[in-house]
Amino acid sequence: MQQTDMPPVLVTGATGRIGRAVVGQLLDAGVPVRALVHRSDAAATLPAEAEVFTGDLTVPESLDPALTGAGAVFLVWTAPPRTAAAVVERLAAHVRRVVFLSSPHRTPHPFFQQPNPMAALHADIERLIAATGLESTIIRPGMLASNALAWWAPAIRAGEAVRWPYGAAETAPVDDRDVAAVAARMLHRDGYAGGDYVLTGPESLTQAAQVGVIGDALGRRIAFDEMTPDEFRSLSEGTAPSSVVEMLLAAWSAAVGQPAYVTTAVADILGAAPRTFHQWAADHAAALTEGP
């Protein structure tokens, strides 16, 4: 699409699951995009239409070239917390609008109320943003559908049963593409300043049922075997911080026996129903069975 004469939008975390999709959504809408990456060689993984800048959230002054002349920022925090205040101060000095990818830590559902270091960091950044007077919008995705690629795809590719804890825990997986579409709209359209949105998929599904849905999408049965929390701790050792492992186990435990928290925010904002988990699985069949 022909790009407009509007100021460019800076996308941080531009090579991540959500950030990369936001870059694509903005370019499709004709919005000029600046993509922030840690290394210059990452530019090869992004659309040629995106202007790539190298910068690091832990070095706030490194963001200045990308921020100068920008109109809005999609902020994905991927760094330790110590430079958050300095980064937010720089955003406020350069741009008018920020959309922050946070988490549903304010949501009154047990799944989202477990001790979570990332949620505490998100809350701190939200307070910093609010104090600047920036035109800000907070989006809070629930469980991302794409987690299935990291969690369950290795067993699926090997033709094995998926072994996982708390198969009865219910979540409402949201498609990364829907999250990105919401963020992109808020970055280049007016009417969302001060908004705070929890984004979920359209249906509550147990984790065991989600594995079954993937099997349906792939046209074969995938067995689900319950794993104990201690087995999950051992499996995760060395691959995830213990605080994250304990947060997940506590959240899944709290989610057993009650429907997931489901919102209509995606449909309200985009004017179309969010993608179902079956749609996500069918669209990602190759990644689930063959790898990236």
Side-chain angles (χ1 to χ4, degrees):
M1 182 180 291
Q2 182 67 37
Q3 290 195 338
T4 68
D5 58 0
M6 70 179 296
V9 172
L10 174 62
V11 177
T12 68
T15 57
R17 288 183 289 177
I18 303 295
R20 188 189 304 272
V22 171
V23 169
Q25 291 275 353
L26 289 169
L27 289 172
D28 287 347
V31 179
V33 175
R34 293 178 176 179
L36 189 73
V37 299
H38 286 291
R39 303 185 319 273
S40 57
D41 58 356
T45 68
L46 292 164
E49 302 92 332
E51 187 179 9
V52 178
F53 287 78
T54 303
D56 193 323
L57 294 173
T58 65
V59 186
E61 60 272 19
S62 71
L63 308 181
D64 288 351
L67 286 169
T68 300
V73 173
F74 180 56
L75 179 61
V76 182
W77 194 264
T78 57
R82 61 180 179 80
T83 57
V87 168
V88 171
E89 182 180 350
R90 273 186 146 73
L91 300 187
H94 287 90
V95 303
R96 177 174 65 92
R97 176 181 299 179
V98 62
V99 174
F100 177 47
L101 184 71
S102 188
S103 53
H105 58 83
R106 295 181 177 179
T107 302
H109 188 285
F111 181 78
F112 297 117
Q113 292 302 313
Q114 308 311 308
N116 182 350
M118 183 58 70
L121 172 60
H122 286 160
D124 287 341
I125 295 174
E126 289 168 30
R127 285 191 286 270
L128 291 168
I129 291 172
T132 65
L134 273 164
E135 182 182 301
S136 63
T137 309
I138 310 298
I139 58 173
R140 307 178 186 278
M143 190 64 74
L144 293 172
S146 60
N147 286 334
L149 291 172
W151 292 347
W152 304 329
I156 293 169
R157 292 171 194 145
E160 300 170 352
V162 169
R163 300 188 68 248
W164 206 249
Y166 296 109
E170 297 193 37
T171 63
V174 60
D175 195 302
D176 302 49
R177 295 168 294 183
D178 288 333
V179 177
V182 166
R185 179 166 298 216
M186 292 171 170
L187 285 161
H188 74 92
R189 294 193 185 183
D190 294 330
Y192 301 102
D196 192 315
Y197 303 92
V198 177
L199 309 178
T200 74
E203 56 193 337
S204 177
L205 296 166
T206 67
Q207 297 198 98
Q210 290 170 37
V211 172
V213 167
I214 292 173
D216 289 343
L218 299 181
R220 60 185 172 90
R221 182 180 179 274
I222 301 172
F224 184 95
D225 291 344
E226 187 78 15
M227 175 189 289
T228 68
D230 281 342
E231 286 176 318
F232 183 73
R233 290 183 180 97
S234 297
L235 178 71
S236 304
E237 193 170 347
T239 63
S242 61
S243 60
V244 173
V245 171
E246 294 305 322
M247 180 273 293
L248 286 170
L249 288 170
W252 290 326
S253 175
V256 171
Q258 58 182 311
Y261 188 82
V262 177
T263 75
T264 61
V266 171
D268 294 342
I269 294 162
L270 300 180
R275 293 174 174 90
T276 65
F277 190 64
H278 188 281
Q279 286 176 283
W280 177 87
D283 290 346
H284 292 81
L288 286 162
T289 56
E290 303 166 13

